[in-house]
Short mmCIF file of all heavy atoms in Angstrom, two decimals:
data_model
loop_
_atom_site.label_atom_id
_atom_site.label_comp_id
_atom_site.label_asym_id
_atom_site.label_seq_id
_atom_site.Cartn_x
_atom_site.Cartn_y
_atom_site.Cartn_z
N ILE A 938 -17.56 299.82 -74.59
CA ILE A 938 -16.35 299.17 -75.10
C ILE A 938 -15.80 299.95 -76.29
O ILE A 938 -14.59 300.17 -76.41
CB ILE A 938 -16.65 297.71 -75.47
CG1 ILE A 938 -16.98 296.91 -74.20
CG2 ILE A 938 -15.46 297.08 -76.21
CD1 ILE A 938 -17.60 295.56 -74.47
N ASP A 939 -16.68 300.40 -77.16
CA ASP A 939 -16.26 301.18 -78.32
C ASP A 939 -15.60 302.50 -77.90
O ASP A 939 -14.70 303.00 -78.58
CB ASP A 939 -17.45 301.48 -79.23
CG ASP A 939 -17.94 300.25 -79.98
OD1 ASP A 939 -17.18 299.26 -80.06
OD2 ASP A 939 -19.09 300.27 -80.48
N GLN A 940 -16.06 303.06 -76.78
CA GLN A 940 -15.46 304.31 -76.29
C GLN A 940 -14.09 304.09 -75.68
O GLN A 940 -13.35 305.04 -75.45
CB GLN A 940 -16.39 304.97 -75.26
CG GLN A 940 -17.72 305.45 -75.82
CD GLN A 940 -17.55 306.42 -76.97
OE1 GLN A 940 -16.81 307.39 -76.88
NE2 GLN A 940 -18.24 306.15 -78.07
N GLY A 941 -13.76 302.82 -75.36
CA GLY A 941 -12.45 302.51 -74.79
C GLY A 941 -12.47 302.07 -73.34
O GLY A 941 -11.40 301.88 -72.75
N CYS A 942 -13.65 301.92 -72.75
CA CYS A 942 -13.73 301.53 -71.34
C CYS A 942 -13.18 300.12 -71.14
O CYS A 942 -13.56 299.20 -71.86
CB CYS A 942 -15.17 301.57 -70.84
SG CYS A 942 -15.88 303.23 -70.76
N LYS A 943 -12.33 299.96 -70.14
CA LYS A 943 -11.78 298.65 -69.80
C LYS A 943 -12.53 298.00 -68.65
O LYS A 943 -12.40 296.78 -68.44
CB LYS A 943 -10.29 298.77 -69.44
CG LYS A 943 -9.42 299.31 -70.56
CD LYS A 943 -9.48 298.42 -71.79
CE LYS A 943 -8.57 298.93 -72.89
NZ LYS A 943 -8.77 298.17 -74.16
N PHE A 944 -13.28 298.78 -67.89
CA PHE A 944 -14.04 298.22 -66.78
C PHE A 944 -15.29 299.04 -66.55
O PHE A 944 -15.42 300.19 -67.03
CB PHE A 944 -13.19 298.18 -65.49
CG PHE A 944 -12.73 299.53 -65.01
CD1 PHE A 944 -13.51 300.30 -64.15
CD2 PHE A 944 -11.50 300.05 -65.40
CE1 PHE A 944 -13.08 301.54 -63.70
CE2 PHE A 944 -11.05 301.29 -64.95
CZ PHE A 944 -11.84 302.03 -64.10
N ALA A 945 -16.23 298.46 -65.80
CA ALA A 945 -17.46 299.15 -65.43
C ALA A 945 -17.81 298.80 -63.99
O ALA A 945 -18.00 297.62 -63.67
CB ALA A 945 -18.61 298.77 -66.36
N TRP A 946 -17.82 299.82 -63.12
CA TRP A 946 -18.27 299.63 -61.74
C TRP A 946 -19.77 299.93 -61.71
O TRP A 946 -20.20 301.00 -62.14
CB TRP A 946 -17.56 300.59 -60.80
CG TRP A 946 -16.07 300.48 -60.64
CD1 TRP A 946 -15.24 301.47 -60.21
CD2 TRP A 946 -15.21 299.35 -60.86
NE1 TRP A 946 -13.95 301.04 -60.17
CE2 TRP A 946 -13.89 299.74 -60.54
CE3 TRP A 946 -15.44 298.04 -61.30
CZ2 TRP A 946 -12.81 298.87 -60.66
CZ3 TRP A 946 -14.36 297.18 -61.41
CH2 TRP A 946 -13.07 297.59 -61.09
N ILE A 947 -20.56 299.01 -61.19
CA ILE A 947 -22.02 299.12 -61.28
C ILE A 947 -22.61 299.32 -59.89
O ILE A 947 -22.39 298.52 -58.98
CB ILE A 947 -22.60 297.88 -61.96
CG1 ILE A 947 -22.03 297.77 -63.38
CG2 ILE A 947 -24.12 297.93 -62.01
CD1 ILE A 947 -22.08 296.40 -63.96
N PHE A 948 -23.35 300.39 -59.74
CA PHE A 948 -24.01 300.74 -58.49
C PHE A 948 -25.52 300.80 -58.73
O PHE A 948 -25.97 300.98 -59.86
CB PHE A 948 -23.54 302.10 -57.99
CG PHE A 948 -22.07 302.18 -57.72
CD1 PHE A 948 -21.18 302.48 -58.75
CD2 PHE A 948 -21.57 301.94 -56.46
CE1 PHE A 948 -19.82 302.54 -58.52
CE2 PHE A 948 -20.21 302.00 -56.21
CZ PHE A 948 -19.33 302.30 -57.25
N THR A 949 -26.27 300.69 -57.67
CA THR A 949 -27.70 300.94 -57.77
C THR A 949 -28.03 302.16 -56.92
O THR A 949 -27.34 302.46 -55.94
CB THR A 949 -28.52 299.72 -57.33
OG1 THR A 949 -29.89 299.90 -57.68
CG2 THR A 949 -28.41 299.46 -55.83
N TYR A 950 -29.05 302.87 -57.29
CA TYR A 950 -29.41 304.11 -56.58
C TYR A 950 -29.83 303.81 -55.15
O TYR A 950 -30.65 302.93 -54.88
CB TYR A 950 -30.54 304.81 -57.32
CG TYR A 950 -31.12 305.99 -56.56
CD1 TYR A 950 -30.45 307.21 -56.54
CD2 TYR A 950 -32.32 305.87 -55.87
CE1 TYR A 950 -30.97 308.29 -55.83
CE2 TYR A 950 -32.84 306.94 -55.16
CZ TYR A 950 -32.15 308.15 -55.14
OH TYR A 950 -32.67 309.21 -54.43
N ILE A 951 -29.27 304.56 -54.20
CA ILE A 951 -29.60 304.46 -52.78
C ILE A 951 -30.11 305.82 -52.32
O ILE A 951 -29.44 306.84 -52.55
CB ILE A 951 -28.36 304.06 -51.94
CG1 ILE A 951 -27.71 302.80 -52.49
CG2 ILE A 951 -28.76 303.85 -50.48
CD1 ILE A 951 -28.50 301.55 -52.34
N PRO A 952 -31.26 305.89 -51.64
CA PRO A 952 -31.82 307.19 -51.24
C PRO A 952 -31.16 307.76 -49.99
O PRO A 952 -31.77 307.90 -48.94
CB PRO A 952 -33.30 306.85 -50.99
CG PRO A 952 -33.26 305.43 -50.52
CD PRO A 952 -32.16 304.77 -51.29
N VAL A 953 -29.89 308.12 -50.11
CA VAL A 953 -29.13 308.67 -48.99
C VAL A 953 -29.31 310.18 -48.94
O VAL A 953 -29.25 310.86 -49.97
CB VAL A 953 -27.64 308.31 -49.12
CG1 VAL A 953 -26.82 308.99 -48.04
CG2 VAL A 953 -27.46 306.80 -49.06
N GLY A 954 -29.51 310.70 -47.75
CA GLY A 954 -29.71 312.13 -47.58
C GLY A 954 -31.16 312.45 -47.26
O GLY A 954 -32.08 311.89 -47.87
N ALA A 955 -31.35 313.33 -46.31
CA ALA A 955 -32.71 313.71 -45.94
C ALA A 955 -33.44 314.27 -47.15
O ALA A 955 -32.93 315.12 -47.87
CB ALA A 955 -32.68 314.75 -44.82
N GLY A 956 -34.62 313.75 -47.42
CA GLY A 956 -35.39 314.21 -48.56
C GLY A 956 -35.06 313.52 -49.86
O GLY A 956 -35.64 313.84 -50.91
N ALA A 957 -34.12 312.57 -49.85
CA ALA A 957 -33.77 311.85 -51.08
C ALA A 957 -34.98 311.08 -51.60
O ALA A 957 -35.71 310.44 -50.85
CB ALA A 957 -32.61 310.90 -50.83
N SER A 958 -35.19 311.14 -52.90
CA SER A 958 -36.35 310.51 -53.51
C SER A 958 -36.23 308.99 -53.48
O SER A 958 -35.15 308.43 -53.73
CB SER A 958 -36.49 310.99 -54.95
OG SER A 958 -37.48 310.24 -55.63
N THR A 959 -37.33 308.32 -53.20
CA THR A 959 -37.38 306.86 -53.30
C THR A 959 -37.88 306.41 -54.67
O THR A 959 -37.85 305.21 -54.98
CB THR A 959 -38.30 306.26 -52.21
OG1 THR A 959 -39.63 306.80 -52.38
CG2 THR A 959 -37.79 306.61 -50.82
N ASP A 960 -38.31 307.36 -55.49
CA ASP A 960 -38.88 307.01 -56.80
C ASP A 960 -37.83 306.46 -57.77
O ASP A 960 -38.19 305.83 -58.77
CB ASP A 960 -39.54 308.24 -57.44
CG ASP A 960 -40.76 308.70 -56.66
OD1 ASP A 960 -41.31 307.88 -55.89
OD2 ASP A 960 -41.15 309.87 -56.80
N LEU A 961 -36.54 306.72 -57.49
CA LEU A 961 -35.49 306.24 -58.38
C LEU A 961 -34.93 304.87 -57.99
O LEU A 961 -34.11 304.31 -58.71
CB LEU A 961 -34.34 307.26 -58.44
CG LEU A 961 -34.64 308.58 -59.15
CD1 LEU A 961 -33.44 309.53 -59.02
CD2 LEU A 961 -34.96 308.35 -60.62
N ILE A 962 -35.36 304.32 -56.85
CA ILE A 962 -34.90 302.99 -56.45
C ILE A 962 -35.34 301.98 -57.50
O ILE A 962 -36.51 301.91 -57.86
CB ILE A 962 -35.44 302.59 -55.07
CG1 ILE A 962 -34.97 303.56 -53.99
CG2 ILE A 962 -35.01 301.16 -54.72
CD1 ILE A 962 -35.54 303.27 -52.61
N ALA A 963 -34.40 301.18 -57.99
CA ALA A 963 -34.72 300.17 -59.00
C ALA A 963 -35.66 299.12 -58.41
O ALA A 963 -35.59 298.80 -57.22
CB ALA A 963 -33.45 299.51 -59.50
N THR A 964 -36.55 298.59 -59.23
CA THR A 964 -37.45 297.54 -58.78
C THR A 964 -36.67 296.23 -58.64
O THR A 964 -35.56 296.07 -59.16
CB THR A 964 -38.58 297.32 -59.79
OG1 THR A 964 -38.04 296.81 -61.01
CG2 THR A 964 -39.33 298.62 -60.06
N ALA A 965 -37.26 295.27 -57.94
CA ALA A 965 -36.63 293.96 -57.79
C ALA A 965 -36.42 293.30 -59.15
O ALA A 965 -35.41 292.64 -59.39
CB ALA A 965 -37.47 293.07 -56.88
N GLU A 966 -37.38 293.48 -60.05
CA GLU A 966 -37.26 292.89 -61.39
C GLU A 966 -36.12 293.53 -62.15
O GLU A 966 -35.38 292.85 -62.89
CB GLU A 966 -38.57 293.08 -62.16
CG GLU A 966 -39.75 292.25 -61.63
CD GLU A 966 -40.30 292.76 -60.31
OE1 GLU A 966 -40.09 293.97 -59.99
OE2 GLU A 966 -40.92 291.97 -59.58
N GLN A 967 -35.90 294.84 -61.99
CA GLN A 967 -34.79 295.51 -62.65
C GLN A 967 -33.45 295.04 -62.07
O GLN A 967 -32.48 294.87 -62.81
CB GLN A 967 -34.93 297.03 -62.52
CG GLN A 967 -36.03 297.61 -63.38
CD GLN A 967 -36.25 299.09 -63.11
OE1 GLN A 967 -36.20 299.54 -61.95
NE2 GLN A 967 -36.48 299.85 -64.17
N ARG A 968 -33.41 294.83 -60.77
CA ARG A 968 -32.17 294.35 -60.17
C ARG A 968 -31.84 292.94 -60.66
O ARG A 968 -30.67 292.63 -60.92
CB ARG A 968 -32.29 294.38 -58.64
CG ARG A 968 -31.00 294.04 -57.92
CD ARG A 968 -31.06 294.44 -56.46
NE ARG A 968 -29.96 293.87 -55.70
CZ ARG A 968 -29.78 294.04 -54.41
NH1 ARG A 968 -30.63 294.79 -53.70
NH2 ARG A 968 -28.76 293.48 -53.77
N LYS A 969 -32.85 292.10 -60.80
CA LYS A 969 -32.62 290.76 -61.36
C LYS A 969 -32.15 290.85 -62.81
O LYS A 969 -31.28 290.08 -63.25
CB LYS A 969 -33.88 289.90 -61.27
CG LYS A 969 -33.66 288.47 -61.80
CD LYS A 969 -34.91 287.64 -61.73
CE LYS A 969 -34.62 286.20 -62.19
NZ LYS A 969 -34.08 286.12 -63.56
N TYR A 970 -32.72 291.78 -63.54
CA TYR A 970 -32.29 292.00 -64.93
C TYR A 970 -30.80 292.31 -64.97
O TYR A 970 -30.05 291.75 -65.78
CB TYR A 970 -33.11 293.13 -65.53
CG TYR A 970 -32.60 293.66 -66.85
CD1 TYR A 970 -32.79 292.93 -68.03
CD2 TYR A 970 -31.94 294.89 -66.93
CE1 TYR A 970 -32.32 293.41 -69.25
CE2 TYR A 970 -31.48 295.38 -68.14
CZ TYR A 970 -31.66 294.64 -69.29
OH TYR A 970 -31.21 295.12 -70.49
N MET A 971 -30.33 293.20 -64.07
CA MET A 971 -28.91 293.54 -64.04
C MET A 971 -28.08 292.33 -63.61
O MET A 971 -27.00 292.10 -64.16
CB MET A 971 -28.68 294.71 -63.09
CG MET A 971 -29.29 296.02 -63.54
SD MET A 971 -28.63 296.64 -65.12
CE MET A 971 -26.93 296.96 -64.69
N TYR A 972 -28.58 291.57 -62.66
CA TYR A 972 -27.90 290.35 -62.22
C TYR A 972 -27.68 289.41 -63.41
O TYR A 972 -26.57 288.92 -63.64
CB TYR A 972 -28.74 289.67 -61.14
CG TYR A 972 -28.27 288.31 -60.71
CD1 TYR A 972 -27.40 288.16 -59.63
CD2 TYR A 972 -28.70 287.16 -61.35
CE1 TYR A 972 -26.97 286.91 -59.22
CE2 TYR A 972 -28.28 285.89 -60.96
CZ TYR A 972 -27.42 285.78 -59.90
OH TYR A 972 -26.99 284.52 -59.50
N ASP A 973 -28.71 289.19 -64.18
CA ASP A 973 -28.62 288.26 -65.32
C ASP A 973 -27.73 288.83 -66.42
O ASP A 973 -26.91 288.10 -67.01
CB ASP A 973 -30.02 287.98 -65.88
CG ASP A 973 -30.88 287.17 -64.94
OD1 ASP A 973 -30.32 286.43 -64.11
OD2 ASP A 973 -32.12 287.29 -65.03
N GLN A 974 -27.88 290.10 -66.71
CA GLN A 974 -27.12 290.70 -67.80
C GLN A 974 -25.62 290.72 -67.52
O GLN A 974 -24.81 290.37 -68.39
CB GLN A 974 -27.61 292.13 -68.06
CG GLN A 974 -28.98 292.22 -68.73
CD GLN A 974 -28.96 291.67 -70.14
OE1 GLN A 974 -29.25 290.50 -70.38
NE2 GLN A 974 -28.59 292.52 -71.09
N ILE A 975 -25.24 291.12 -66.32
CA ILE A 975 -23.81 291.22 -66.00
C ILE A 975 -23.15 289.85 -66.06
O ILE A 975 -22.02 289.70 -66.56
CB ILE A 975 -23.60 291.88 -64.63
CG1 ILE A 975 -24.10 293.34 -64.66
CG2 ILE A 975 -22.13 291.83 -64.22
CD1 ILE A 975 -23.49 294.19 -65.75
N ARG A 976 -23.84 288.83 -65.60
CA ARG A 976 -23.27 287.49 -65.68
C ARG A 976 -23.15 287.02 -67.13
O ARG A 976 -22.19 286.32 -67.48
CB ARG A 976 -24.11 286.52 -64.84
CG ARG A 976 -23.73 286.60 -63.36
CD ARG A 976 -24.83 286.21 -62.41
NE ARG A 976 -24.36 286.33 -61.02
CZ ARG A 976 -24.21 287.50 -60.39
NH1 ARG A 976 -24.49 288.63 -61.02
NH2 ARG A 976 -23.77 287.53 -59.14
N LYS A 977 -24.06 287.43 -67.96
CA LYS A 977 -23.95 287.11 -69.38
C LYS A 977 -22.77 287.85 -70.00
O LYS A 977 -21.99 287.26 -70.77
CB LYS A 977 -25.25 287.49 -70.10
CG LYS A 977 -25.23 287.17 -71.59
CD LYS A 977 -26.52 287.58 -72.27
CE LYS A 977 -26.60 289.09 -72.44
NZ LYS A 977 -27.77 289.52 -73.25
#
């Protein structure tokens, strides 16, 4: 907000592409954290 952003589009990492790492997929607990935070 301080930088001037008026909106934020929020995505989660998807392992698209052959050989894409699964280690970056957010955990279920992290996804719930984002769910709660964005609603707040």
Side-chain angles (χ1 to χ4, degrees):
I938 294 167
D939 288 342
Q940 295 303 310
C942 293
K943 299 300 182 188
F944 61 88
W946 297 158
I947 299 158
F948 300 86
T949 191
Y950 172 78
I951 307 292
V953 174
S958 171
T959 60
D960 294 340
L961 290 175
I962 299 177
T964 66
E966 291 72 22
Q967 288 174 320
R968 186 165 168 181
K969 182 180 183 302
Y970 168 75
M971 293 298 295
Y972 172 92
D973 291 335
Q974 288 293 93
I975 295 305
R976 278 154 181 75
K977 180 181 74 173

